[in-house]
Amino acid sequence: MAYYDSIARQWHKTTGYRGGEFKRLVLNDVLLESIPDIDGRSILELGAGNGYFIPLVLRKYSGKIPARIVITDQSSKLIEIAQKNFSIETAEYRILNVARKFPFADENFDMILATMVFNEVPTGVLRKALTESSRVLANGGVFLITVTHPDFINSLRKRSLLKGSGKGVLTMPGAGGLRLPVVVRKVEVYRRVLEELGFKYEEKSIYPTQEVLNAKPGLRNAGNIPLALLFRCVK
Ligand SMILES: C[S@@+](CC[C@H](N)C(=O)[O-])C[C@H]1O[C@@H](n2cnc3c(N)ncnc32)[C@H](O)[C@@H]1O
């Protein structure tokens, strides 16, 4: 059973229709600004969670019609929740573990989204997932990868807030008292794998705003460090 199967309902209850406070107040807009035109394009989302994000993309680009939308996650329970709560009639909802070969032909997609998923998988899986993503992305396609910022994870580690789950998996505190899987990794590792695969990318560190800190006062204890890191990659 995927880890998120056991917390799927609570995850959806906690993060809701905008992905939680940080995404609602900051990250969603940063991602939406980074997305190229979707008209006639094929979009794949990896680790989509409850599937809240693609409806925001469709709303922003109202009237534009993607050729194909595939919303995936390793957790069958989250895919069910996504389908039930955010159902997009024309989208395909599929279970997909990024550790395995993706069930798509080469150069099938114009855009791939992966938000806060790769910081949860070991580096061997990260490498495989990025290799598969590169394979299924068309030349010139855009790959938006967001991870929990390594500096933030490191600050949790220094404050002894990372815990073993008993199955060799580290977890970090998440919204609503949830514990979320996390991997401690340097930013250089992400860069190296992207470079080895030939991606061109821009990086953006994303900080919590005052509004985020008011909504989540516990984040003040981390000091002035970024919460997320976005790689906007082009193949
Ligand atoms: C922190 S949640 C983020 C969900 C969503 N992208 C969002 O931003 O709200 C991490 C997601 O990655 C998924 N995930 C974790 N490991 C995965 C894997 N190996 N393959 C596919 N999805 C995975 C989880 O099931 C979960 O939905």
Side-chain angles (χ1 to χ4, degrees), residues 2-5 11 15 19 23 27 45-52 72-75 78 96-99 114-121 125 180-181:
Y3 181 87
Y4 275 80
D5 282 338
W11 172 262
T15 62
K23 290 172 187 158
L27 183 62
E45 185 170 17
L46 303 170
N50 68 356
Y52 82 93
T72 72
D73 199 278
Q74 181 186 25
S75 160
L78 279 173
L96 183 152
N97 179 351
V98 298
T115 307
M116 307 300 208
V117 49
F118 292 146
N119 49 277
E120 298 196 355
V121 300
V125 172
L180 307 179

PDB file of all heavy atoms in Angstrom, residues 2-5 11 15 19 23 27 45-52 72-75 78 96-99 114-121 125 180-181, ligand 1:
ATOM      1  N   ALA A   2       0.539   2.207  -0.841  1.00  0.00           N
ATOM      2  CA  ALA A   2       1.315   3.455  -0.879  1.00  0.00           C
ATOM      3  C   ALA A   2       1.109   4.218   0.437  1.00  0.00           C
ATOM      4  O   ALA A   2       0.012   4.177   1.010  1.00  0.00           O
ATOM      5  CB  ALA A   2       0.838   4.309  -2.056  1.00  0.00           C
ATOM      6  N   TYR A   3       2.145   4.912   0.876  1.00  0.00           N
ATOM      7  CA  TYR A   3       2.063   5.650   2.154  1.00  0.00           C
ATOM      8  C   TYR A   3       0.826   6.554   2.193  1.00  0.00           C
ATOM      9  O   TYR A   3       0.108   6.611   3.189  1.00  0.00           O
ATOM     10  CB  TYR A   3       3.340   6.490   2.339  1.00  0.00           C
ATOM     11  CG  TYR A   3       3.378   7.263   3.630  1.00  0.00           C
ATOM     12  CD1 TYR A   3       3.867   6.690   4.792  1.00  0.00           C
ATOM     13  CD2 TYR A   3       2.884   8.571   3.701  1.00  0.00           C
ATOM     14  CE1 TYR A   3       3.880   7.398   5.990  1.00  0.00           C
ATOM     15  CE2 TYR A   3       2.899   9.284   4.888  1.00  0.00           C
ATOM     16  CZ  TYR A   3       3.403   8.695   6.023  1.00  0.00           C
ATOM     17  OH  TYR A   3       3.409   9.396   7.214  1.00  0.00           O
ATOM     18  N   TYR A   4       0.586   7.263   1.091  1.00  0.00           N
ATOM     19  CA  TYR A   4      -0.518   8.233   1.101  1.00  0.00           C
ATOM     20  C   TYR A   4      -1.896   7.576   1.116  1.00  0.00           C
ATOM     21  O   TYR A   4      -2.883   8.239   1.406  1.00  0.00           O
ATOM     22  CB  TYR A   4      -0.397   9.204  -0.083  1.00  0.00           C
ATOM     23  CG  TYR A   4       0.513  10.371   0.242  1.00  0.00           C
ATOM     24  CD1 TYR A   4       1.899  10.233   0.175  1.00  0.00           C
ATOM     25  CD2 TYR A   4       0.019  11.599   0.660  1.00  0.00           C
ATOM     26  CE1 TYR A   4       2.748  11.278   0.485  1.00  0.00           C
ATOM     27  CE2 TYR A   4       0.854  12.656   0.979  1.00  0.00           C
ATOM     28  CZ  TYR A   4       2.220  12.490   0.888  1.00  0.00           C
ATOM     29  OH  TYR A   4       3.056  13.534   1.208  1.00  0.00           O
ATOM     30  N   ASP A   5      -1.967   6.268   0.804  1.00  0.00           N
ATOM     31  CA  ASP A   5      -3.269   5.606   0.926  1.00  0.00           C
ATOM     32  C   ASP A   5      -3.769   5.711   2.369  1.00  0.00           C
ATOM     33  O   ASP A   5      -4.956   5.865   2.617  1.00  0.00           O
ATOM     34  CB  ASP A   5      -3.161   4.122   0.530  1.00  0.00           C
ATOM     35  CG  ASP A   5      -3.120   3.952  -0.988  1.00  0.00           C
ATOM     36  OD1 ASP A   5      -3.575   4.876  -1.703  1.00  0.00           O
ATOM     37  OD2 ASP A   5      -2.629   2.912  -1.449  1.00  0.00           O
ATOM     38  N   TRP A  11      -5.380  13.952   4.204  1.00  0.00           N
ATOM     39  CA  TRP A  11      -4.631  14.866   3.319  1.00  0.00           C
ATOM     40  C   TRP A  11      -5.601  15.769   2.555  1.00  0.00           C
ATOM     41  O   TRP A  11      -5.431  16.981   2.473  1.00  0.00           O
ATOM     42  CB  TRP A  11      -3.765  14.055   2.343  1.00  0.00           C
ATOM     43  CG  TRP A  11      -3.115  14.893   1.278  1.00  0.00           C
ATOM     44  CD1 TRP A  11      -3.544  15.078   0.001  1.00  0.00           C
ATOM     45  CD2 TRP A  11      -1.922  15.687   1.414  1.00  0.00           C
ATOM     46  NE1 TRP A  11      -2.698  15.934  -0.671  1.00  0.00           N
ATOM     47  CE2 TRP A  11      -1.701  16.321   0.176  1.00  0.00           C
ATOM     48  CE3 TRP A  11      -1.034  15.930   2.466  1.00  0.00           C
ATOM     49  CZ2 TRP A  11      -0.618  17.180  -0.049  1.00  0.00           C
ATOM     50  CZ3 TRP A  11       0.040  16.778   2.235  1.00  0.00           C
ATOM     51  CH2 TRP A  11       0.233  17.386   0.997  1.00  0.00           C
ATOM     52  N   THR A  15      -5.646  19.721   3.008  1.00  0.00           N
ATOM     53  CA  THR A  15      -5.103  20.590   1.947  1.00  0.00           C
ATOM     54  C   THR A  15      -6.208  21.154   1.048  1.00  0.00           C
ATOM     55  O   THR A  15      -6.039  22.204   0.441  1.00  0.00           O
ATOM     56  CB  THR A  15      -4.065  19.845   1.078  1.00  0.00           C
ATOM     57  OG1 THR A  15      -4.715  18.745   0.427  1.00  0.00           O
ATOM     58  CG2 THR A  15      -2.920  19.329   1.915  1.00  0.00           C
ATOM     59  N   GLY A  19      -4.763  23.243  -2.017  1.00  0.00           N
ATOM     60  CA  GLY A  19      -3.485  22.607  -1.682  1.00  0.00           C
ATOM     61  C   GLY A  19      -2.907  22.999  -0.334  1.00  0.00           C
ATOM     62  O   GLY A  19      -1.761  22.649  -0.033  1.00  0.00           O
ATOM     63  N   LYS A  23       0.389  26.908  -0.579  1.00  0.00           N
ATOM     64  CA  LYS A  23       0.082  26.839  -2.010  1.00  0.00           C
ATOM     65  C   LYS A  23      -0.993  27.872  -2.360  1.00  0.00           C
ATOM     66  O   LYS A  23      -0.894  28.574  -3.362  1.00  0.00           O
ATOM     67  CB  LYS A  23      -0.353  25.433  -2.390  1.00  0.00           C
ATOM     68  CG  LYS A  23       0.818  24.458  -2.335  1.00  0.00           C
ATOM     69  CD  LYS A  23       0.392  23.027  -2.513  1.00  0.00           C
ATOM     70  CE  LYS A  23       1.583  22.107  -2.277  1.00  0.00           C
ATOM     71  NZ  LYS A  23       1.195  20.758  -1.936  1.00  0.00           N
ATOM     72  N   LEU A  27       2.426  29.493  -3.706  1.00  0.00           N
ATOM     73  CA  LEU A  27       2.987  28.587  -4.719  1.00  0.00           C
ATOM     74  C   LEU A  27       2.104  28.415  -5.956  1.00  0.00           C
ATOM     75  O   LEU A  27       2.618  28.355  -7.085  1.00  0.00           O
ATOM     76  CB  LEU A  27       3.299  27.217  -4.082  1.00  0.00           C
ATOM     77  CG  LEU A  27       3.954  26.215  -5.020  1.00  0.00           C
ATOM     78  CD1 LEU A  27       5.313  26.713  -5.520  1.00  0.00           C
ATOM     79  CD2 LEU A  27       4.140  24.859  -4.327  1.00  0.00           C
ATOM     80  N   GLU A  45       0.511  15.143 -15.074  1.00  0.00           N
ATOM     81  CA  GLU A  45       0.866  15.517 -13.705  1.00  0.00           C
ATOM     82  C   GLU A  45       1.275  14.262 -12.938  1.00  0.00           C
ATOM     83  O   GLU A  45       0.556  13.255 -12.922  1.00  0.00           O
ATOM     84  CB  GLU A  45      -0.288  16.230 -12.986  1.00  0.00           C
ATOM     85  CG  GLU A  45       0.187  16.707 -11.609  1.00  0.00           C
ATOM     86  CD  GLU A  45      -0.759  17.635 -10.860  1.00  0.00           C
ATOM     87  OE1 GLU A  45      -1.950  17.697 -11.216  1.00  0.00           O
ATOM     88  OE2 GLU A  45      -0.288  18.271  -9.901  1.00  0.00           O
ATOM     89  N   LEU A  46       2.448  14.336 -12.302  1.00  0.00           N
ATOM     90  CA  LEU A  46       2.957  13.226 -11.480  1.00  0.00           C
ATOM     91  C   LEU A  46       2.702  13.565 -10.009  1.00  0.00           C
ATOM     92  O   LEU A  46       2.813  14.729  -9.610  1.00  0.00           O
ATOM     93  CB  LEU A  46       4.464  13.068 -11.697  1.00  0.00           C
ATOM     94  CG  LEU A  46       4.921  12.831 -13.143  1.00  0.00           C
ATOM     95  CD1 LEU A  46       6.450  12.950 -13.234  1.00  0.00           C
ATOM     96  CD2 LEU A  46       4.459  11.470 -13.644  1.00  0.00           C
ATOM     97  N   GLY A  47       2.392  12.563  -9.205  1.00  0.00           N
ATOM     98  CA  GLY A  47       2.204  12.808  -7.761  1.00  0.00           C
ATOM     99  C   GLY A  47       1.187  13.903  -7.510  1.00  0.00           C
ATOM    100  O   GLY A  47       1.412  14.816  -6.720  1.00  0.00           O
ATOM    101  N   ALA A  48       0.050  13.805  -8.176  1.00  0.00           N
ATOM    102  CA  ALA A  48      -0.928  14.909  -8.190  1.00  0.00           C
ATOM    103  C   ALA A  48      -1.694  15.061  -6.883  1.00  0.00           C
ATOM    104  O   ALA A  48      -2.432  16.026  -6.702  1.00  0.00           O
ATOM    105  CB  ALA A  48      -1.915  14.700  -9.329  1.00  0.00           C
ATOM    106  N   GLY A  49      -1.559  14.108  -5.962  1.00  0.00           N
ATOM    107  CA  GLY A  49      -2.272  14.209  -4.689  1.00  0.00           C
ATOM    108  C   GLY A  49      -3.770  14.164  -4.908  1.00  0.00           C
ATOM    109  O   GLY A  49      -4.286  13.307  -5.640  1.00  0.00           O
ATOM    110  N   ASN A  50      -4.492  15.134  -4.315  1.00  0.00           N
ATOM    111  CA  ASN A  50      -5.953  15.119  -4.477  1.00  0.00           C
ATOM    112  C   ASN A  50      -6.387  15.755  -5.807  1.00  0.00           C
ATOM    113  O   ASN A  50      -7.584  15.897  -6.053  1.00  0.00           O
ATOM    114  CB  ASN A  50      -6.652  15.791  -3.294  1.00  0.00           C
ATOM    115  CG  ASN A  50      -6.405  17.288  -3.229  1.00  0.00           C
ATOM    116  OD1 ASN A  50      -5.653  17.847  -4.021  1.00  0.00           O
ATOM    117  ND2 ASN A  50      -7.039  17.954  -2.277  1.00  0.00           N
ATOM    118  N   GLY A  51      -5.411  16.149  -6.628  1.00  0.00           N
ATOM    119  CA  GLY A  51      -5.748  16.620  -7.984  1.00  0.00           C
ATOM    120  C   GLY A  51      -6.297  18.029  -8.044  1.00  0.00           C
ATOM    121  O   GLY A  51      -6.933  18.411  -9.023  1.00  0.00           O
ATOM    122  N   TYR A  52      -5.997  18.852  -7.024  1.00  0.00           N
ATOM    123  CA  TYR A  52      -6.601  20.197  -6.975  1.00  0.00           C
ATOM    124  C   TYR A  52      -6.026  21.132  -8.033  1.00  0.00           C
ATOM    125  O   TYR A  52      -6.658  22.120  -8.402  1.00  0.00           O
ATOM    126  CB  TYR A  52      -6.387  20.831  -5.577  1.00  0.00           C
ATOM    127  CG  TYR A  52      -5.019  21.459  -5.439  1.00  0.00           C
ATOM    128  CD1 TYR A  52      -4.816  22.818  -5.727  1.00  0.00           C
ATOM    129  CD2 TYR A  52      -3.896  20.697  -5.107  1.00  0.00           C
ATOM    130  CE1 TYR A  52      -3.553  23.388  -5.662  1.00  0.00           C
ATOM    131  CE2 TYR A  52      -2.637  21.267  -5.035  1.00  0.00           C
ATOM    132  CZ  TYR A  52      -2.475  22.611  -5.310  1.00  0.00           C
ATOM    133  OH  TYR A  52      -1.224  23.172  -5.257  1.00  0.00           O
ATOM    134  N   THR A  72      -1.938  11.767 -12.403  1.00  0.00           N
ATOM    135  CA  THR A  72      -1.482  10.489 -11.847  1.00  0.00           C
ATOM    136  C   THR A  72      -0.986  10.644 -10.408  1.00  0.00           C
ATOM    137  O   THR A  72      -0.592  11.721  -9.974  1.00  0.00           O
ATOM    138  CB  THR A  72      -0.322   9.897 -12.683  1.00  0.00           C
ATOM    139  OG1 THR A  72       0.870  10.666 -12.451  1.00  0.00           O
ATOM    140  CG2 THR A  72      -0.629   9.882 -14.169  1.00  0.00           C
ATOM    141  N   ASP A  73      -1.002   9.533  -9.716  1.00  0.00           N
ATOM    142  CA  ASP A  73      -0.409   9.463  -8.374  1.00  0.00           C
ATOM    143  C   ASP A  73      -0.181   7.987  -8.061  1.00  0.00           C
ATOM    144  O   ASP A  73      -0.836   7.107  -8.627  1.00  0.00           O
ATOM    145  CB  ASP A  73      -1.337  10.093  -7.322  1.00  0.00           C
ATOM    146  CG  ASP A  73      -0.589  10.454  -6.048  1.00  0.00           C
ATOM    147  OD1 ASP A  73      -0.376   9.552  -5.198  1.00  0.00           O
ATOM    148  OD2 ASP A  73      -0.187  11.619  -5.890  1.00  0.00           O
ATOM    149  N   GLN A  74       0.726   7.745  -7.117  1.00  0.00           N
ATOM    150  CA  GLN A  74       0.980   6.371  -6.689  1.00  0.00           C
ATOM    151  C   GLN A  74      -0.179   5.847  -5.838  1.00  0.00           C
ATOM    152  O   GLN A  74      -0.420   4.643  -5.782  1.00  0.00           O
ATOM    153  CB  GLN A  74       2.268   6.355  -5.853  1.00  0.00           C
ATOM    154  CG  GLN A  74       2.676   5.001  -5.347  1.00  0.00           C
ATOM    155  CD  GLN A  74       3.872   5.101  -4.406  1.00  0.00           C
ATOM    156  OE1 GLN A  74       4.102   6.132  -3.783  1.00  0.00           O
ATOM    157  NE2 GLN A  74       4.622   4.034  -4.305  1.00  0.00           N
ATOM    158  N   SER A  75      -0.875   6.763  -5.168  1.00  0.00           N
ATOM    159  CA  SER A  75      -1.923   6.360  -4.227  1.00  0.00           C
ATOM    160  C   SER A  75      -3.267   6.210  -4.941  1.00  0.00           C
ATOM    161  O   SER A  75      -3.820   7.185  -5.455  1.00  0.00           O
ATOM    162  CB  SER A  75      -2.031   7.411  -3.117  1.00  0.00           C
ATOM    163  OG  SER A  75      -3.276   7.322  -2.474  1.00  0.00           O
ATOM    164  N   LEU A  78      -5.892   8.471  -3.368  1.00  0.00           N
ATOM    165  CA  LEU A  78      -5.868   9.881  -3.776  1.00  0.00           C
ATOM    166  C   LEU A  78      -6.420  10.055  -5.190  1.00  0.00           C
ATOM    167  O   LEU A  78      -7.106  11.036  -5.471  1.00  0.00           O
ATOM    168  CB  LEU A  78      -4.450  10.453  -3.667  1.00  0.00           C
ATOM    169  CG  LEU A  78      -4.049  10.866  -2.246  1.00  0.00           C
ATOM    170  CD1 LEU A  78      -2.580  11.256  -2.169  1.00  0.00           C
ATOM    171  CD2 LEU A  78      -4.909  12.017  -1.730  1.00  0.00           C
ATOM    172  N   LEU A  96       0.131   5.850 -11.018  1.00  0.00           N
ATOM    173  CA  LEU A  96       1.475   5.781 -11.614  1.00  0.00           C
ATOM    174  C   LEU A  96       2.503   5.983 -10.507  1.00  0.00           C
ATOM    175  O   LEU A  96       2.456   6.975  -9.777  1.00  0.00           O
ATOM    176  CB  LEU A  96       1.628   6.861 -12.686  1.00  0.00           C
ATOM    177  CG  LEU A  96       2.961   6.889 -13.467  1.00  0.00           C
ATOM    178  CD1 LEU A  96       2.749   7.476 -14.870  1.00  0.00           C
ATOM    179  CD2 LEU A  96       4.046   7.677 -12.749  1.00  0.00           C
ATOM    180  N   ASN A  97       3.383   5.002 -10.373  1.00  0.00           N
ATOM    181  CA  ASN A  97       4.489   5.097  -9.428  1.00  0.00           C
ATOM    182  C   ASN A  97       5.702   5.597 -10.206  1.00  0.00           C
ATOM    183  O   ASN A  97       6.140   4.942 -11.157  1.00  0.00           O
ATOM    184  CB  ASN A  97       4.745   3.706  -8.835  1.00  0.00           C
ATOM    185  CG  ASN A  97       5.902   3.697  -7.853  1.00  0.00           C
ATOM    186  OD1 ASN A  97       6.636   4.678  -7.714  1.00  0.00           O
ATOM    187  ND2 ASN A  97       6.067   2.584  -7.169  1.00  0.00           N
ATOM    188  N   VAL A  98       6.262   6.726  -9.795  1.00  0.00           N
ATOM    189  CA  VAL A  98       7.361   7.314 -10.582  1.00  0.00           C
ATOM    190  C   VAL A  98       8.634   6.457 -10.545  1.00  0.00           C
ATOM    191  O   VAL A  98       9.580   6.718 -11.278  1.00  0.00           O
ATOM    192  CB  VAL A  98       7.691   8.766 -10.148  1.00  0.00           C
ATOM    193  CG1 VAL A  98       6.505   9.684 -10.363  1.00  0.00           C
ATOM    194  CG2 VAL A  98       8.201   8.836  -8.709  1.00  0.00           C
ATOM    195  N   ALA A  99       8.631   5.439  -9.694  1.00  0.00           N
ATOM    196  CA  ALA A  99       9.794   4.541  -9.629  1.00  0.00           C
ATOM    197  C   ALA A  99       9.807   3.552 -10.799  1.00  0.00           C
ATOM    198  O   ALA A  99      10.806   2.878 -11.039  1.00  0.00           O
ATOM    199  CB  ALA A  99       9.784   3.769  -8.315  1.00  0.00           C
ATOM    200  N   ALA A 114       5.293  18.225 -11.532  1.00  0.00           N
ATOM    201  CA  ALA A 114       5.586  17.337 -10.392  1.00  0.00           C
ATOM    202  C   ALA A 114       5.792  18.239  -9.176  1.00  0.00           C
ATOM    203  O   ALA A 114       6.858  18.839  -9.015  1.00  0.00           O
ATOM    204  CB  ALA A 114       6.828  16.502 -10.667  1.00  0.00           C
ATOM    205  N   THR A 115       4.759  18.361  -8.362  1.00  0.00           N
ATOM    206  CA  THR A 115       4.811  19.303  -7.248  1.00  0.00           C
ATOM    207  C   THR A 115       4.948  18.551  -5.933  1.00  0.00           C
ATOM    208  O   THR A 115       4.056  17.767  -5.563  1.00  0.00           O
ATOM    209  CB  THR A 115       3.521  20.170  -7.228  1.00  0.00           C
ATOM    210  OG1 THR A 115       3.354  20.747  -8.520  1.00  0.00           O
ATOM    211  CG2 THR A 115       3.597  21.259  -6.174  1.00  0.00           C
ATOM    212  N   MET A 116       6.031  18.786  -5.242  1.00  0.00           N
ATOM    213  CA  MET A 116       6.303  18.212  -3.913  1.00  0.00           C
ATOM    214  C   MET A 116       6.227  16.689  -3.898  1.00  0.00           C
ATOM    215  O   MET A 116       5.725  16.110  -2.941  1.00  0.00           O
ATOM    216  CB  MET A 116       5.298  18.767  -2.885  1.00  0.00           C
ATOM    217  CG  MET A 116       5.194  20.262  -2.809  1.00  0.00           C
ATOM    218  SD  MET A 116       6.748  21.036  -2.382  1.00  0.00           S
ATOM    219  CE  MET A 116       6.216  22.519  -1.576  1.00  0.00           C
ATOM    220  N   VAL A 117       6.707  16.085  -4.974  1.00  0.00           N
ATOM    221  CA  VAL A 117       6.746  14.615  -4.988  1.00  0.00           C
ATOM    222  C   VAL A 117       8.183  14.100  -4.960  1.00  0.00           C
ATOM    223  O   VAL A 117       8.506  13.170  -4.212  1.00  0.00           O
ATOM    224  CB  VAL A 117       5.911  14.012  -6.148  1.00  0.00           C
ATOM    225  CG1 VAL A 117       6.191  14.638  -7.469  1.00  0.00           C
ATOM    226  CG2 VAL A 117       6.105  12.509  -6.255  1.00  0.00           C
ATOM    227  N   PHE A 118       9.091  14.748  -5.695  1.00  0.00           N
ATOM    228  CA  PHE A 118      10.449  14.189  -5.795  1.00  0.00           C
ATOM    229  C   PHE A 118      11.250  14.320  -4.497  1.00  0.00           C
ATOM    230  O   PHE A 118      12.245  13.621  -4.327  1.00  0.00           O
ATOM    231  CB  PHE A 118      11.205  14.815  -6.967  1.00  0.00           C
ATOM    232  CG  PHE A 118      10.646  14.436  -8.314  1.00  0.00           C
ATOM    233  CD1 PHE A 118      10.662  15.330  -9.363  1.00  0.00           C
ATOM    234  CD2 PHE A 118      10.104  13.174  -8.528  1.00  0.00           C
ATOM    235  CE1 PHE A 118      10.153  14.977 -10.610  1.00  0.00           C
ATOM    236  CE2 PHE A 118       9.583  12.813  -9.763  1.00  0.00           C
ATOM    237  CZ  PHE A 118       9.614  13.720 -10.806  1.00  0.00           C
ATOM    238  N   ASN A 119      10.819  15.212  -3.592  1.00  0.00           N
ATOM    239  CA  ASN A 119      11.511  15.301  -2.300  1.00  0.00           C
ATOM    240  C   ASN A 119      11.114  14.138  -1.380  1.00  0.00           C
ATOM    241  O   ASN A 119      11.610  14.023  -0.267  1.00  0.00           O
ATOM    242  CB  ASN A 119      11.194  16.634  -1.599  1.00  0.00           C
ATOM    243  CG  ASN A 119       9.718  16.937  -1.551  1.00  0.00           C
ATOM    244  OD1 ASN A 119       9.162  17.456  -2.517  1.00  0.00           O
ATOM    245  ND2 ASN A 119       9.059  16.580  -0.464  1.00  0.00           N
ATOM    246  N   GLU A 120      10.209  13.280  -1.891  1.00  0.00           N
ATOM    247  CA  GLU A 120       9.764  12.145  -1.069  1.00  0.00           C
ATOM    248  C   GLU A 120      10.380  10.829  -1.512  1.00  0.00           C
ATOM    249  O   GLU A 120      10.155   9.802  -0.888  1.00  0.00           O
ATOM    250  CB  GLU A 120       8.235  12.028  -1.120  1.00  0.00           C
ATOM    251  CG  GLU A 120       7.536  13.256  -0.552  1.00  0.00           C
ATOM    252  CD  GLU A 120       6.071  13.015  -0.234  1.00  0.00           C
ATOM    253  OE1 GLU A 120       5.540  11.925  -0.540  1.00  0.00           O
ATOM    254  OE2 GLU A 120       5.450  13.934   0.330  1.00  0.00           O
ATOM    255  N   VAL A 121      11.121  10.851  -2.630  1.00  0.00           N
ATOM    256  CA  VAL A 121      11.626   9.569  -3.147  1.00  0.00           C
ATOM    257  C   VAL A 121      13.153   9.512  -3.059  1.00  0.00           C
ATOM    258  O   VAL A 121      13.834  10.543  -3.170  1.00  0.00           O
ATOM    259  CB  VAL A 121      11.175   9.330  -4.615  1.00  0.00           C
ATOM    260  CG1 VAL A 121       9.660   9.304  -4.724  1.00  0.00           C
ATOM    261  CG2 VAL A 121      11.769  10.357  -5.576  1.00  0.00           C
ATOM    262  N   VAL A 125      15.404   6.611  -7.273  1.00  0.00           N
ATOM    263  CA  VAL A 125      14.063   6.764  -7.874  1.00  0.00           C
ATOM    264  C   VAL A 125      13.957   8.128  -8.565  1.00  0.00           C
ATOM    265  O   VAL A 125      13.396   8.245  -9.665  1.00  0.00           O
ATOM    266  CB  VAL A 125      12.952   6.594  -6.804  1.00  0.00           C
ATOM    267  CG1 VAL A 125      11.589   6.935  -7.375  1.00  0.00           C
ATOM    268  CG2 VAL A 125      12.960   5.174  -6.248  1.00  0.00           C
ATOM    269  N   LEU A 180       4.747  13.598   6.774  1.00  0.00           N
ATOM    270  CA  LEU A 180       4.942  13.357   5.340  1.00  0.00           C
ATOM    271  C   LEU A 180       6.338  12.805   5.076  1.00  0.00           C
ATOM    272  O   LEU A 180       7.313  13.293   5.671  1.00  0.00           O
ATOM    273  CB  LEU A 180       4.771  14.666   4.566  1.00  0.00           C
ATOM    274  CG  LEU A 180       3.465  15.421   4.830  1.00  0.00           C
ATOM    275  CD1 LEU A 180       3.422  16.708   4.017  1.00  0.00           C
ATOM    276  CD2 LEU A 180       2.260  14.550   4.498  1.00  0.00           C
ATOM    277  N   PRO A 181       6.456  11.821   4.193  1.00  0.00           N
ATOM    278  CA  PRO A 181       7.776  11.262   3.880  1.00  0.00           C
ATOM    279  C   PRO A 181       8.702  12.353   3.338  1.00  0.00           C
ATOM    280  O   PRO A 181       8.242  13.255   2.629  1.00  0.00           O
ATOM    281  CB  PRO A 181       7.484  10.235   2.782  1.00  0.00           C
ATOM    282  CG  PRO A 181       6.030  10.029   2.798  1.00  0.00           C
ATOM    283  CD  PRO A 181       5.395  11.246   3.373  1.00  0.00           C
TER     284      PRO A 181
HETATM  285  C1  LIG B   1       3.214  16.172  -0.607  1.00  0.00           C
HETATM  286  S1  LIG B   1       2.102  15.313  -1.647  1.00  0.00           S
HETATM  287  C2  LIG B   1       1.873  16.508  -2.944  1.00  0.00           C
HETATM  288  C3  LIG B   1       0.604  16.279  -3.700  1.00  0.00           C
HETATM  289  C4  LIG B   1       0.284  17.345  -4.748  1.00  0.00           C
HETATM  290  N1  LIG B   1       1.271  17.360  -5.810  1.00  0.00           N
HETATM  291  C5  LIG B   1       0.177  18.676  -4.094  1.00  0.00           C
HETATM  292  O1  LIG B   1       1.057  19.527  -4.345  1.00  0.00           O
HETATM  293  O2  LIG B   1      -0.765  18.889  -3.313  1.00  0.00           O
HETATM  294  C6  LIG B   1       3.139  14.096  -2.408  1.00  0.00           C
HETATM  295  C7  LIG B   1       2.399  13.249  -3.416  1.00  0.00           C
HETATM  296  O3  LIG B   1       3.354  12.437  -4.106  1.00  0.00           O
HETATM  297  C8  LIG B   1       2.817  11.144  -4.234  1.00  0.00           C
HETATM  298  N2  LIG B   1       3.934  10.198  -4.351  1.00  0.00           N
HETATM  299  C9  LIG B   1       4.856   9.869  -3.430  1.00  0.00           C
HETATM  300  N3  LIG B   1       5.711   8.936  -3.913  1.00  0.00           N
HETATM  301  C10 LIG B   1       5.298   8.684  -5.179  1.00  0.00           C
HETATM  302  C11 LIG B   1       5.746   7.818  -6.208  1.00  0.00           C
HETATM  303  N4  LIG B   1       6.797   6.996  -6.014  1.00  0.00           N
HETATM  304  N5  LIG B   1       5.092   7.815  -7.385  1.00  0.00           N
HETATM  305  C12 LIG B   1       4.049   8.636  -7.597  1.00  0.00           C
HETATM  306  N6  LIG B   1       3.547   9.468  -6.671  1.00  0.00           N
HETATM  307  C13 LIG B   1       4.173   9.494  -5.460  1.00  0.00           C
HETATM  308  C14 LIG B   1       2.004  10.932  -2.976  1.00  0.00           C
HETATM  309  O4  LIG B   1       1.063   9.888  -3.114  1.00  0.00           O
HETATM  310  C15 LIG B   1       1.385  12.301  -2.787  1.00  0.00           C
HETATM  311  O5  LIG B   1       0.183  12.425  -3.459  1.00  0.00           O
END
